[in-house]
């Protein structure tokens, strides 16, 4: 009887524990199954990929912001000097697509510029231009500006750039032959003239673009000034303009000042010619 009583008591105890476990699962759910499912979800391939991708994106954004902010900390003091060498006003078609004859001015100039301080590791290219500024005919308080010459100065190729590394470790046979021919032809030119990016020395330079006015008449206009401006285009960040342009007025407020290049004490005062007047209309030669 003692053995049978012990067996009955143990059976009742085990059945009661089983009932309690079923009632706990019915109320609170399968705890072990939930934990195992959460652990599997945390260590899945998609979750790990999202975590790594989010981390790399954050690092790239922070690194890009630091590189873009370096433009504001880079000291730059470009110097430019421009003088007018010849001015004439003629009447004709200023462009090949012009539909009518009108007066236009041709201005030749001498330019000396040192823009080497604008180049650093984040500079892609510098766009240099010369514009003529004179009072507007309708409102003397406003000025009319016309670009007469421009030039793109690319930054020197870095030895750690993608193109340099690709040509160094994965050279192409056809590209090597063409580069050898080009290097031989350029070797003579480089020996004659040492070209430094950012340094310009032009004498009696012809304009690329003619100056016309909306009124159709530009002869004998007074108070004309040639202005040298530039635009720094970085790899990462915003475009920066010289202080001689109207970027600050066009954008306005604090945002306009953010787009201005800090040219220093020397660069802010340079880049303007002495005021001059457009001459009278040049009469055609008669035989």
């Amino acid at each position: 009887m003692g053995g049978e009583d012990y067996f009955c008591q143990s059976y009742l105890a085990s059945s009661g524990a089983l009932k309690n476990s079923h009632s706990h699962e019915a109320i609170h759910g399968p705890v072990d199954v939930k934990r195992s499912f959460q652990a599997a979800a945390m260590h899945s391939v998609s979750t790990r990929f999202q975590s790594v991708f989010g981390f790399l994106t954050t690092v790239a954004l922070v690194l890009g912001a630091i590189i873009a902010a370096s433009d504001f900390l880079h000291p730059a003091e470009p110097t430019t000097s421009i003088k007018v060498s010849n001015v004439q006003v003629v009447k004709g078609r200023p462009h090949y697509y012009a539909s009518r004859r009108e007066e236009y001015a041709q201005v030749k100039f001498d330019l000396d510029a040192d823009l080497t301080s604008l180049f650093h590791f984040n500079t892609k290219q510098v766009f240099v231009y010369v514009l003529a500024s004179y009072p507007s005919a309708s409102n003397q308080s406003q000025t009319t500006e016309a670009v007469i010459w421009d030039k793109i100065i690319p930054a020197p190729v870095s030895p750690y750039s993608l193109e340099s590394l690709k040509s160094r470790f994965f050279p192409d046979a056809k590209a090597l032959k063409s580069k050898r021919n080009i290097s031989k032809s350029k070797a003579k030119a480089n020996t004659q003239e040492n070209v430094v990016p950012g340094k310009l020395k032009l004498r009696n330079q012809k304009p690329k673009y003619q100056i016309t006015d909306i009124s159709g008449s530009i002869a004998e206009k007074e108070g004309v000034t040639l202005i040298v401006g530039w635009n720094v285009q970085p790899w990462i960040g915003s475009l920066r303009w010289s202080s001689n342009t109207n970027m600050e007025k066009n954008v306005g407020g604090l945002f306009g000042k953010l787009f201005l290049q800090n040219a220093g004490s020397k660069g802010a005062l340079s880049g303007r010619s002495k005021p001059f007047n457009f001459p009278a209309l040049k009469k055609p030669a008669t035989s």
Side-chain angles (χ1 to χ4, degrees):
M1 292 294 292
E4 293 179 357
D5 294 337
Y6 177 77
F7 178 76
C8 292
Q9 291 177 1
S10 61
Y11 175 76
L12 292 174
S14 61
S15 61
L18 184 61
K19 289 181 180 179
N20 292 333
S21 63
H22 283 300
S23 62
H24 181 77
E25 289 181 359
I27 297 173
H28 299 284
V31 180
D32 296 338
V33 175
K34 281 186 176 181
R35 290 178 180 176
S36 62
F37 179 76
Q38 292 176 357
M42 290 177 61
H43 299 286
S44 63
V45 177
S46 61
T47 304
R48 291 182 177 181
F49 177 77
Q50 291 177 1
S51 301
V52 173
F53 181 76
F55 175 75
L56 294 178
T57 304
T58 304
V59 172
L61 290 175
V62 173
L63 184 60
I66 294 174
I67 295 175
S70 65
D71 294 342
F72 297 91
L73 303 177
H74 177 71
E77 286 196 359
T79 57
T80 56
S81 175
I82 187 169
K83 296 179 181 179
V84 180
S85 60
N86 187 16
V87 184
Q88 61 179 356
V89 177
V90 296
K91 188 172 184 179
R93 293 184 177 181
H95 314 286
Y96 68 92
Y97 52 84
S99 59
R100 60 187 179 90
R101 294 168 56 87
E102 58 181 326
E103 295 180 3
Y104 63 91
Q106 292 180 337
V107 182
K108 295 182 180 180
F109 57 90
D110 299 335
L111 174 62
D112 292 318
D114 185 3
L115 307 177
T116 54
S117 59
L118 297 177
F119 291 88
H120 61 107
F121 72 96
N122 192 32
T123 303
K124 181 180 181 181
Q125 61 187 13
V126 175
F127 179 72
V128 189
Y129 55 92
V130 176
L131 55 87
S133 176
Y134 57 92
S136 178
S138 59
N139 189 356
Q140 294 294 326
S141 61
Q142 297 180 355
T143 58
T144 301
E145 295 181 346
V147 176
I148 63 173
W149 180 86
D150 55 18
K151 181 180 179 62
I152 297 177
I153 306 176
V157 180
S158 174
Y160 302 102
S161 63
L162 182 60
E163 295 180 358
S164 300
L165 295 176
K166 184 179 179 181
S167 61
R168 181 179 179 182
F169 295 102
F170 303 99
D172 189 5
K174 295 181 180 179
L176 286 175
K177 291 182 180 180
S178 61
K179 285 183 179 180
R180 288 174 183 175
N181 296 330
I182 295 173
S183 60
K184 289 180 181 179
S185 61
K186 286 186 177 180
K188 298 180 180 179
N190 291 334
T191 54
Q192 295 176 358
E193 182 180 0
N194 186 14
V195 179
V196 179
K199 285 192 175 182
L200 299 174
K201 188 175 182 180
L202 306 176
R203 293 294 178 267
N204 202 23
Q205 176 64 39
K206 294 181 179 180
K208 288 185 178 181
Y209 317 104
Q210 318 301 335
I211 305 175
T212 59
D213 193 76
I214 191 172
S215 62
S217 176
I218 200 171
E220 299 181 354
K221 285 188 177 294
E222 300 178 351
V224 186
T225 306
L226 295 184
I227 302 175
V228 182
W230 60 83
N231 171 232
V232 181
Q233 302 179 11
W235 290 103
I236 300 176
S238 61
L239 302 178
R240 306 294 299 280
W241 300 80
S242 61
S243 58
N244 292 334
T245 61
N246 291 328
M247 175 57 63
E248 182 179 1
K249 296 180 181 179
N250 295 336
V251 178
L254 178 62
F255 296 99
K257 295 182 179 180
L258 291 177
F259 290 97
L260 295 181
Q261 177 73 32
N262 184 14
S265 58
K266 297 180 180 179
L269 300 177
S270 64
R272 288 179 176 268
S273 68
K274 294 181 179 180
F276 63 96
N277 302 330
F278 284 137
L281 181 63
K282 184 179 179 180
K283 297 181 180 180
T286 58
S287 57

